Amino acid sequence: MNKSRRAFGVTACLLVTGFSVLLAIGFGTEAPAAEPQLRGIWMHANFIRTPAEADQCVERIDRANLNAVFLLVWYWGGQASFQSSACPMLEGVQPGYDPLEYMIRECHRRKIEVHAWFVNGAYGRPEPLHVLDQHPTWLVDTDGQPGPLWYDLGQPAVRKFQSDLMIEALTRYDLDGLHFDFIRYNGPAVCYCEHCQKEFAERYGCGPIERDRRAVFPLSGMMAGNPVGKPTTAEVLAQFSDGTPAVATNQLGKGRVLLFNWHALRGDTPAIAETLKRVLQTWNVTDNRPFVMDTAANRARYPDMGAKPTAAALATVGYNPQVITEDRLPDLPPDSLLVLGDVYLIPDETAEALEQFVRDGGRLVVVDGPILSIRNASIQRVLGMGAGADYFNRLEVVQPVGTSKLLPCDGVKIDFDQLTRQREKWAEYRKSGVTELVCDVYRRAKAIKPGVQVTAAVFAGLESAERVFQDWPRWVREGMVDYVVPMAYTANNDKLARQLEAWKTVDPQLERILPGLCLYSRATSDGSLILRDLDTVFTQYRMCMDEDAKGANFYSLDGTAAEPGLLLTDPLIAALRSGPFPSPVPAYRPPSRVTPAEK
C-alpha cells in the first residue's frame, strides 16, 4: 500500500492540471440529480489512524457532495479498524481512538453513509498472523503451489468466523452497510484439505480430487502456460489435450534442447523432476550446478519472473544453480547446462548468442518458452518450433506421444471428459461455499437491522467472476445482497459498454448493480500511480448514467497514497461539484423486497 511521496507528488500535480483543464473547458452541465443516487467512494482505514487524518478525509468527502463511504475495516492478516472481541486493532492506530466509531459519527453528522468494507478471501499478509497462526487449517491447501494466502471459505468454521465478525461490527456500530470484497477464491486452484475433499466427494459422489504427485506421465490438473507450437525439427514427447506440444526435445549442431511448454517448475511434480533427470543423464550432464539466465528486457517487463524463481525451483529438486546475465552467455563452456525459465523477451543479439551456444554443444532447458521472441529465426532454430500458440490457464492433461525413455510413463490413459466433469462439479461446490457466507450474513444482518445494506465488490466480467467461483448474478437474482458493485476499472470505454450490456442480462433496470469506477491506474514496474485520463473517468460515469445506473462507487479516496485523502484533491472536488454532483442528495437504496434469503 505504501508508495513513495515523490511518485505521488508527480501524480498530484497531474491531477491538479487535469481537473483544471476540465473546469476550463466547461465540463459538467448536467442538472442536479432529482432522486437519490449512490455517490460512493472506497477508502482505506490504514490512512485514518488518527482523528486528524479522519477529519481531513471526511471534510473532503463532504465538500465533494459524496454520500457514501466504503471504509476498509478488516484485512491486514486479521486486524480490524474497530473494537472486536475476535481480532486486534489495526497496527499504528492512536491509543483510545476507534476509527470506525469516529468515522460513523462524523459522516452521519453530514448525512454520509458508512459501509463497513471487509476483505473476505485474501489474507492480507505473506505469513500467518493474528488469525491463521491460531487456525492454520483455515488456509486454502494448494499443495505447495506458490501464491498469496487465502481463507478457505469452503470450511464452515471459516464462514462462521467471518459471519460472526461482520455481525459483531453491525451490532456494535450504527452502520449503514456491510460490504464484501475478495468474496471469492484466488483463481481456480483446488483445495486439498481434508474437509473440502471429503465434503466434495460425499456431496457429488465422484470421488475426491487427487493431489497431482504422479512420478510418471500422463499428468493432469490446473496448468498455465505461454506455449510455442508448430514443430519443425523438434521431437514432441507429450502434448496437451488440444494437441499443442507440452514436452519436446530438439537437436541443433552439437547441442541439445529440452522444452517444458508451460509453467512446469511451479509446484512439486515428481514427473517433471524425473524427466529432467533422465534427459540430463542422456546428455551426459553430471554437474548439478546449471547456469540460469534471463535478459534485462525480460526483467524490466516481468520483474517477478525469470532467473530467480527458476533457480529457486531447481534448488528444490536437488540442483545448485548459478544465476547469470545475458552478457555471460558467450563465455560459457560449450558443454554447459543452461536453463531459461519464464524468459519471454530475448533480444536479437542474445538470441544469436544462444543459438551459437547450442550449436557449439551447449545443453539448454527452456521452461515456458520465449513466446514474445518466437518470430526470431535463431529462437525458432533453437527450439525447433515455428510459431507461438495460445496462452492457457485451465484444467489440462499432459499425455505422452508414443514412447520415449526420456519420459517416465505408465501407459495410463486419462479420460479428459470425465476429468472435466469432475472439475465442473468442483466449481459448483466451490461457489456454494462462497454463496453460503454471503447468504448467512445477509439473513442475520436483516434480522438485526432491516434497513442495513449488504453489498459486495465483484468482478466486472461475468466469465471472470465464474472462474473465481463468485456467483454474484445468483446473489442479485435471488436476493442475497442488496446490490453489487462490479469493479469496472478498465480505461477502455468499449469494454465498459460491453460490461454494462452484460450486467443488464442479470438486472435489466440496473437497480441492484451499481458500477465501480477507477480514478487511477498503477504502474507495473514499481507500483507508483499513473493518472487515469480524466476525460475518460467522467465519460465513463456518463455512460453508466445513460444506461440508467443509480450511481457509482469510485476507487478510491486514498488509493495507495503516502498521505490520506490525496486523490480527492481540491480540483477534483471542484470538478465534481460543478459537474455530476452539484448539490447533495441521499444515497440510493434499491427497492425493498422479501427474498428467499430472508425467509
Side-chain angles (χ1 to χ4, degrees), residues 8 19 38 62 65 120 139 176 188 190 228 342 375 403 418 423 440 492 495 553:
F8 250 88
F19 280 113
L38 178 67
D62 187 37
N65 284 331
N120 300 92
L139 175 69
D176 301 287
V190 173
V228 293
D342 302 338
R375 292 185 179 181
T403 60
Q418 182 179 354
R423 292 306 177 95
D440 185 59
N492 185 313
K495 183 176 181 179
N553 209 47

Side-chain angles (χ1 to χ4, degrees), residues 310-521:
T310 299
L314 288 170
T316 64
V317 291
Y319 295 89
N320 183 23
Q322 178 182 352
V323 176
I324 65 171
T325 52
E326 66 260 47
D327 60 300
R328 291 276 311 278
L329 181 57
D331 301 326
L332 294 182
D335 59 349
S336 299
L337 173 61
L338 177 66
V339 180
L340 303 182
D342 302 338
V343 181
Y344 309 117
L345 286 167
I346 302 179
D348 292 346
E349 182 178 350
T350 303
E352 293 170 5
L354 187 64
E355 179 182 4
Q356 192 61 50
F357 165 76
V358 175
R359 286 187 179 277
D360 290 343
R363 273 53 173 163
L364 176 66
V365 176
V366 178
V367 183
D368 208 36
I371 185 65
L372 300 181
S373 301
I374 191 60
R375 292 185 179 181
N376 181 282
S378 290
I379 297 299
Q380 291 180 359
R381 288 190 287 267
V382 166
L383 296 179
M385 299 283 181
D390 293 334
Y391 168 80
F392 69 90
N393 185 354
R394 61 178 179 260
L395 178 66
E396 264 299 349
V397 170
V398 179
Q399 191 77 42
V401 176
T403 60
S404 171
K405 293 181 179 179
L406 298 179
L407 205 68
C409 178
D410 62 3
V412 171
K413 295 292 184 181
I414 294 179
D415 187 328
F416 186 67
D417 291 337
Q418 182 179 354
L419 184 67
T420 299
R421 288 192 294 272
Q422 184 190 44
R423 292 306 177 95
E424 288 173 350
K425 293 297 185 183
W426 173 258
E428 182 180 325
Y429 168 71
R430 218 55 176 148
K431 285 189 294 186
S432 69
V434 178
T435 295
E436 282 182 32
L437 174 58
V438 173
C439 192
D440 185 59
V441 170
Y442 183 92
R443 186 185 298 111
R444 294 175 67 185
K446 293 296 183 178
I448 295 168
K449 190 175 184 178
V452 71
Q453 300 290 282
V454 179
T455 64
V458 297
F459 272 23
L462 300 185
E463 292 183 0
S464 298
E466 183 75 14
R467 284 195 295 268
V468 294
F469 312 124
Q470 186 182 73
D471 196 5
W472 67 257
R474 178 187 173 191
W475 307 344
V476 170
R477 291 188 181 110
E478 297 185 14
M480 299 176 186
V481 292
D482 289 290
Y483 59 84
V484 296
V485 187
M487 298 174 289
Y489 295 164
T490 178
N492 185 313
N493 292 346
D494 291 337
K495 183 176 181 179
L496 176 62
R498 292 192 297 272
Q499 290 173 343
L500 283 161
E501 183 178 356
W503 300 342
K504 285 198 165 187
T505 66
V506 178
D507 179 18
Q509 304 303 319
L510 294 185
E511 289 183 330
R512 300 181 186 277
I513 300 177
L514 284 81
L517 304 177
C518 196
L519 298 175
Y520 68 92
S521 301

